[in-house]
Amino acid sequence: MRVSDFDYSLPEHLIAQDPLEPRDASRLLILDKRNGAIEHSVFKRIGEQLRRGDMLVLNDTKVLPARIFAHKDSGAMIELLLLKQTGLNIWQCLVRPGNKAKPGARLLFGLPELQAEIVDHAEEGTRLVEFSYQGNFFDLLDRLGTMPLPPYIKKPLADQSRYQPVYAREKGSAAAPTAGLHFTERLLDELEAQGVLIEKLLLHVGLGTFRPVKADTVEQHLMHAEYYRLSVASAARINAAKAAGGRLIAVGTTVVRTLETVADEDGSLSAAEGWTQKYIYPGYRFKCTDAMITNFHLPKSTLLMLVAALAGRDNVLRAYQTAIDEQYRFFSFGDAMFITDRMPDTER
C-alpha cells in the first residue's frame, strides 16, 4: 500500500489558525463507516449521535510548554522542543539548529535555577538533554516555555489554555490530543446527564506527531514509541460498558491506539502501562473501538491512515473532499468528524 494513496489537496486558507470560541462551536461532519453516508451538524449537538450507555474515552494528557530557548556558553541561541522524558532529568529533544547541538554543549536559560547539557545524539536527529535544576522542573518550564504549536499554525496563541482539552490533567505531551479540544465542561456534563459514560486514559503525545511519513509504502514506516497508561478501575468500567451493549467511542487517534494496544483479541481490556508503537492502517482488525471523534488530519499522515482503517479509505477521502467543498476548517484548531456505526433513533 503506497503512502501516496492517502494524499489529498487542501487549500491553504482552510488550515485553521485560531481556535473557535466557544470550543463546541466547531462544525461536525458525521460519517457512517458502514455505507459512507455523510451528514453535517455542529459539535455542541454531538449528544444527538450518542445513546445512553455509550462510553466516551478521553486522553487526559496535558501539553507541556515544551518549546524553550537557551544560549550556549559561546552565546549562540538554541531552540529546544522537549519530546519525552527518557531517564532521570534526561529528555529527548528536537534541537535547532542541530549543527550547534553537539554532545557536551552547556545550555543556559536565563534562570540561575536551570541549566542543561547535551549528552548524546538520539533517533532521527534529536538529542538527549540532561537538565539540572533547583525546585520543580515543570514550574520552571511554565515560566520559560511556550506551547509547541504545529508549524502550519502561523499565528501566536493568545490564550495558552486553548491548546489543552478542558479535562487535561497529567503533564507530559509535546502536542495536544486535538479531538478533545472541542469539548466544554458544560457539554461533558450534558452528555453525562444524558446517560453517556465518560472514562479517561493517558497517552503522552511525542515525536511521531512532528515527523512526516518518509517511506514510499505504508508498511515501511516505523512508529515512534509513546508512553500510555490505563488503570485497573478504568479498564473495569470500559469492559462493563461494553458488556452492557454500549459502544466504545474513542476521542482521538491517541485513544484508539491506546485501546487497541491493551485490548485482548476478544475485545476485553486489561490495566497496563508502558510504551506503544501501535501502527494502525487499512487492513487492521479493530478489537474494541466502535466509533471515534477526530479532527481532519494532514495528507499522507499516520493519523489519516488510522481513520481510513476504521471507516474505509474511499469513505474517508470522499468525506475529506466534502469537507473541503463545504469549507470546513482543518487540522489542530479545525472542525471535527464523528465516525459512527449509526444507531437508529429508536435505539438511542
Side-chain angles (χ1 to χ4, degrees):
M1 196 181 322
R2 301 196 64 80
V3 172
S4 58
D5 292 338
F6 300 89
D7 197 9
Y8 68 92
S9 180
L10 179 71
E12 187 173 353
H13 73 276
L14 294 183
I15 302 175
Q17 296 296 311
D18 298 291
L20 290 179
E21 190 61 43
R23 290 171 179 258
D24 58 4
S26 56
R27 297 169 72 184
L28 178 67
L29 186 147
I30 303 156
L31 173 63
D32 190 324
K33 68 180 184 179
R34 300 172 305 172
N35 56 26
I38 293 171
E39 294 181 9
H40 303 281
S41 185
V42 291
F43 198 83
K44 65 183 177 182
R45 296 172 58 185
I46 185 68
E48 296 176 2
Q49 306 301 318
L50 308 177
R51 59 174 181 154
R52 178 175 295 276
D54 282 344
M55 174 165 275
L56 286 178
V57 184
L58 316 175
N59 180 7
D60 64 358
T61 187
K62 193 169 188 177
V63 185
L64 293 167
R67 179 168 277 115
I68 56 177
F69 293 88
H71 287 89
K72 295 171 57 180
D73 291 335
S74 64
M77 179 170 282
I78 295 284
E79 178 186 350
L80 302 179
L81 178 61
L82 280 66
L83 296 172
K84 65 181 179 183
Q85 188 171 8
T86 62
L88 182 62
N89 301 329
I90 296 178
W91 287 75
Q92 182 185 3
C93 301
L94 282 173
V95 182
R96 297 188 182 93
N99 60 356
K100 296 182 179 180
K102 295 180 172 58
R106 298 285 300 173
L107 305 179
L108 306 173
F109 297 91
L111 293 176
E113 306 99 308
L114 181 66
Q115 299 180 22
E117 180 179 346
I118 298 174
V119 295
D120 205 352
H121 293 273
E123 57 184 334
E124 294 197 26
T126 62
R127 302 292 189 273
L128 296 180
V129 180
E130 183 172 14
F131 292 87
S132 55
Y133 56 91
Q134 297 175 340
N136 183 285
F137 179 69
F138 294 117
D139 289 344
L140 295 172
L141 273 187
D142 286 338
R143 291 168 60 185
L144 286 172
T146 59
M147 283 296 172
L149 295 178
Y152 50 76
I153 296 178
K154 310 300 183 184
K155 295 180 62 175
L157 186 60
D159 179 0
Q160 299 294 299
S161 70
R162 291 298 274 107
Y163 194 56
Q164 306 274 19
V166 296
Y167 48 79
R169 181 181 59 85
E170 184 171 330
K171 291 180 178 179
S173 275
T178 54
L181 297 180
H182 304 282
F183 287 96
T184 65
E185 294 283 6
R186 179 176 178 176
L187 179 56
L188 289 169
D189 289 343
E190 290 174 351
L191 293 175
E192 286 193 294
Q194 178 183 324
V196 175
L197 306 173
I198 296 176
E199 194 52 69
K200 296 172 183 174
L201 51 72
L202 178 78
L203 183 137
H204 288 322
V205 186
L207 177 63
T209 295
F210 299 94
R211 291 301 198 200
V213 177
K214 297 180 180 179
D216 291 329
T217 64
V218 170
E219 295 83 359
Q220 290 175 321
H221 178 68
L222 178 65
M223 293 288 287
H224 295 278
E226 295 171 310
Y227 175 78
Y228 73 90
R229 184 173 67 241
L230 179 70
S231 71
V232 172
S234 294
R237 287 191 288 264
I238 293 172
N239 287 335
K242 288 280 284 185
R247 294 179 300 170
L248 190 56
I249 301 168
V251 178
T253 58
T254 62
V255 173
V256 174
R257 291 179 60 236
T258 305
L259 291 172
E260 295 296 319
T261 294
V262 303
D264 295 331
E265 289 303 315
D266 65 358
S268 61
L269 274 63
S270 302
E273 68 175 309
W275 297 85
T276 182
Q277 291 179 277
K278 192 72 173 180
Y279 183 20
I280 297 175
Y281 52 85
Y284 177 81
R285 185 182 67 82
F286 286 85
K287 294 179 285 188
C288 64
T289 307
D290 297 308
M292 74 177 297
I293 295 168
T294 186
N295 279 21
F296 294 94
H297 302 296
L298 273 71
K300 299 192 289 187
S301 65
T302 60
L303 308 181
L304 179 56
M305 294 172 196
L306 184 152
V307 172
L310 183 64
R313 172 186 169 275
D314 291 346
N315 286 343
V316 167
L317 291 181
R318 189 181 309 111
Y320 270 51
Q321 187 57 55
T322 299
I324 292 169
D325 294 342
E326 296 292 329
Q327 300 290 290
Y328 274 65
R329 291 155 44 94
F330 274 62
F331 304 160
S332 294
F333 289 143
D335 295 316
M337 174 188 288
F338 180 46
I339 298 174
T340 180
D341 53 345
R342 181 67 56 79
M343 301 300 296
D345 290 342
T346 55
E347 297 185 29
R348 289 194 189 133

